[in-house]
Amino acid sequence: HERDILCDFLLILLREALQRRMDKKVVGELRVIVMSATINANRFSDYFFGAAVVNVPGFTHPVDDWYLEDVLEATQHRILDGSPCAMRPGNNGGGGHTKMAVTGRGGRQTTVTAEWGSGGGEVEAGVSPTWVEGLYDGFSEPTRKSLRRVDESIINYDLIEDL
């Protein structure tokens, strides 16, 4: 359901393959079927050289956006120090830095630089690199503490069960 760069790259390769087959008048067909409830069908049809569009009417189910902070607040799930889903010193792979966009409730987005390992800018032990002081002020203290220590690279099955 989610678009990413690999899907976009695959669509480019498929289009090029279709173009080569049309240019060389290759015998046999290569059919591409793209299904989506939200795609701009005419735009994709144009992209794939006027490909046919089949419209199947259906029902769009409403979707609510829930961010991690919303789920933690609603379930009162807590990520405690020492939890398997909490950040720990040494579990960040040996050092480096990255820029990442942190999106909060309401679509507020903040760009943060996370640095870890030896040298300047070391991440505080046990603190998530996505933690941004002041971004979660509207939430309870236990939720803020959980967000501060969460390791988002680990699937928290207890949180899923609580949800």
Side-chain angles (χ1 to χ4, degrees):
H1 280 80
E2 300 298 324
R3 266 186 65 196
D4 65 10
I5 195 164
L6 296 175
C7 291
D8 290 349
F9 184 66
L10 179 61
L11 291 173
I12 291 168
L13 292 176
L14 283 171
R15 185 177 192 271
E16 288 179 2
L18 286 170
Q19 181 66 55
R20 277 195 224 117
R21 292 179 68 85
M22 291 186 322
D23 290 346
K24 294 181 180 179
K25 309 251 188 278
V26 175
V27 177
E29 293 180 294
L30 174 62
R31 295 182 183 210
V32 176
I33 299 173
V34 179
M35 298 186 303
S36 173
T38 59
I39 199 169
N40 181 333
N42 292 329
R43 190 172 187 181
F44 265 76
S45 174
D46 291 344
Y47 183 76
F48 285 108
F49 314 108
V53 174
V54 176
N55 184 16
V56 179
F59 176 75
T60 303
H61 295 276
V63 175
D64 293 326
D65 290 327
W66 282 69
Y67 295 93
L68 178 59
E69 58 268 26
D70 299 318
V71 172
L72 289 171
E73 191 83 358
T75 62
Q76 297 184 359
H77 181 87
R78 303 296 174 239
I79 299 168
L80 305 173
D81 284 329
S83 160
C85 298
M87 292 296 295
R88 288 183 229 21
N91 68 343
N92 51 19
H97 71 279
T98 187
K99 285 188 183 265
M100 61 182 73
V102 178
T103 304
R105 178 170 43 180
R108 293 181 307 177
Q109 193 172 60
T110 303
T111 301
V112 297
T113 300
E115 298 181 24
W116 60 92
S118 58
E122 190 167 317
V123 167
E124 184 180 341
V127 177
S128 172
T130 61
W131 172 252
V132 178
E133 195 68 46
L135 187 61
Y136 306 104
D137 286 345
F139 293 92
S140 67
E141 182 64 23
T143 294
R144 288 196 308 273
K145 284 182 178 179
S146 292
L147 288 167
R148 189 171 195 272
R149 64 175 64 106
V150 66
D151 183 344
E152 293 184 38
S153 69
I154 298 173
I155 297 174
N156 188 334
Y157 293 105
D158 291 331
L159 176 58
I160 293 169
E161 186 176 309
D162 286 349
L163 187 60

